Amino acid sequence: MAFDLDTFAETSEAVTWHDLDFDAFEERPLDGATLRTLRYMCDVEYHTSCFLRDMLVTPSHREEDAAGFMTMWNREEFWHGEALAAVLARHGIVVDYDELKAKRVKLGWRLALGTLKQSALSNLIGPDFVAVHMTWGAANELSAVAAYRRLAELNEHPTLSVLLQRISQQETRHVAFYTTQARERLEASTRAQTLVRLILEKVWKPVGSGIMDEPEVQHVMGHLFGGRADDLDKLDKRLQRLPGLGTVTPFRSAFGRLGIR
Ligand SMILES: [Fe+2]
Ligand SMILES: [Fe+2]
């Protein structure tokens, strides 16, 4: 799956949902576990802007392609958050973007430290940081596709499942960007391969781990992937196709650490 920035730029748009029948949620409201998972996904999508901020102090932002993509990608993720917030709103759950942002600001010093740490780390390992960033992004986006598809399948809901399929469609383009970039960087450097292997195996965690409480992470990942070892293996295999990553199993490892098998 190759990635073309021009095509992406021309076709990048907000996920459409205004045409969907949201009244269907009156007749067939979503269950508690699904709403809890959606709430998590909504928060994570909205928080993407914070990852972008972190990214702007790293060498990746000096890469022209990466910077161009990031701007549009950031908007798409924000719109995913908006669509999910609309579904939650129909169930009386209010997710307020400004409130979320304020919460992040309150966590200020910790976040600032995180950004600083990432900046120092990225300068330390130089261009290999870009390889780490792109592979990490590929893992996140791959799991986003799998998570949305799985939630759609679990619900078979005339409105929710269509919306989730549309979102996951956009996530597949994000996968294409990150894997294309990661492949290039990894091909160029065996040092990057070693570093990426180490970080994926020991440090990678499911998306949202840094910003959501641990019980929420466990609920969501258990809800979507509990007892789905094959799904985790498939995700690992996608990463194993990248240069030098033939043996990595970040999904199995990270989910195992969360107690999900
Ligand atoms: Fe998204
Ligand atoms: Fe994405």
Side-chain angles (χ1 to χ4, degrees):
M1 215 180 355
F3 179 84
D4 181 69
L5 185 62
D6 292 330
T7 311
F8 181 70
E10 276 160 27
T11 55
S12 171
E13 57 177 14
V15 63
T16 39
W17 52 274
H18 290 285
D19 60 317
L20 297 176
D21 177 21
F22 271 50
D23 291 338
F25 292 125
E26 309 291 325
E27 285 158 44
R28 238 190 97 182
L30 302 171
D31 61 69
T34 299
L35 289 170
R36 193 173 166 191
T37 296
L38 278 177
R39 170 78 222 247
Y40 180 100
M41 289 166 150
C42 180
D43 272 30
V44 169
E45 295 283 6
Y46 270 160
H47 273 134
T48 302
S49 60
C50 301
F51 303 136
L52 186 70
R53 206 259 322 261
D54 286 354
M55 231 271 307
L56 294 177
V57 294
T58 70
S60 299
H61 104 276
R62 289 192 289 270
E63 310 262 330
E64 210 179 299
D65 268 15
F69 169 82
M70 291 297 152
T71 315
M72 287 173 283
W73 164 77
N74 195 54
R75 287 187 319 166
E76 285 191 3
E77 305 294 28
F78 176 81
W79 287 321
H80 294 169
E82 266 189 345
L84 299 179
V87 173
L88 290 163
R90 284 304 282 258
H91 295 79
I93 301 165
V94 181
V95 184
D96 185 61
Y97 178 71
D98 294 323
E99 216 172 89
L100 274 186
K101 236 169 77 177
K103 203 172 106 191
R104 294 286 295 197
V105 172
K106 253 204 231 149
L107 288 171
W109 63 271
R110 242 177 62 192
L111 288 173
L113 202 69
T115 303
L116 198 75
K117 244 168 56 191
Q118 189 167 58
S119 169
L121 180 73
S122 67
N123 290 329
L124 201 69
I125 57 182
D128 291 345
F129 175 84
V130 183
V132 173
H133 172 210
M134 296 302 160
T135 316
W136 186 287
N140 284 357
E141 299 290 348
L142 277 167
S143 60
V145 175
Y148 283 124
R149 281 191 185 152
R150 177 76 184 130
L151 195 59
E153 180 190 285
L154 276 170
N155 280 276
E156 287 184 342
H157 190 282
T159 306
L160 181 77
S161 298
V162 176
L163 172 64
L164 298 181
Q165 290 295 352
R166 288 181 189 177
I167 294 178
S168 76
Q169 199 59 40
Q170 291 197 329
E171 305 292 4
T172 61
R173 304 213 301 176
H174 304 168
V175 169
F177 169 80
Y178 283 105
T179 49
T180 302
Q181 289 280 327
R183 180 168 297 113
E184 252 174 55
R185 317 292 160 172
L186 289 164
E187 236 155 34
S189 159
T190 52
R191 202 179 71 151
Q193 292 173 11
T194 308
L195 185 70
V196 167
R197 274 200 304 271
L198 185 81
I199 288 181
L200 277 185
E201 210 66 71
K202 305 274 179 227
V203 190
W204 187 83
K205 284 182 187 158
V207 190
S209 296
I211 52 179
M212 308 299 284
D213 296 333
E214 180 95 352
E216 292 308 302
V217 183
Q218 268 161 342
H219 161 76
V220 172
M221 300 310 153
H223 181 205
L224 298 175
F225 298 109
R228 310 276 300 181
D230 285 355
D231 288 358
L232 299 179
D233 286 343
K234 260 189 226 160
L235 290 166
D236 280 332
K237 282 201 181 102
R238 290 291 299 273
L239 292 171
Q240 287 165 9
R241 275 162 30 193
L242 291 168
L245 304 191
T247 56
V248 295
T249 56
F251 286 95
R252 275 296 191 118
S253 305
F255 279 72
R257 286 194 292 268
L258 276 173
I260 298 157
R261 279 174 184 92

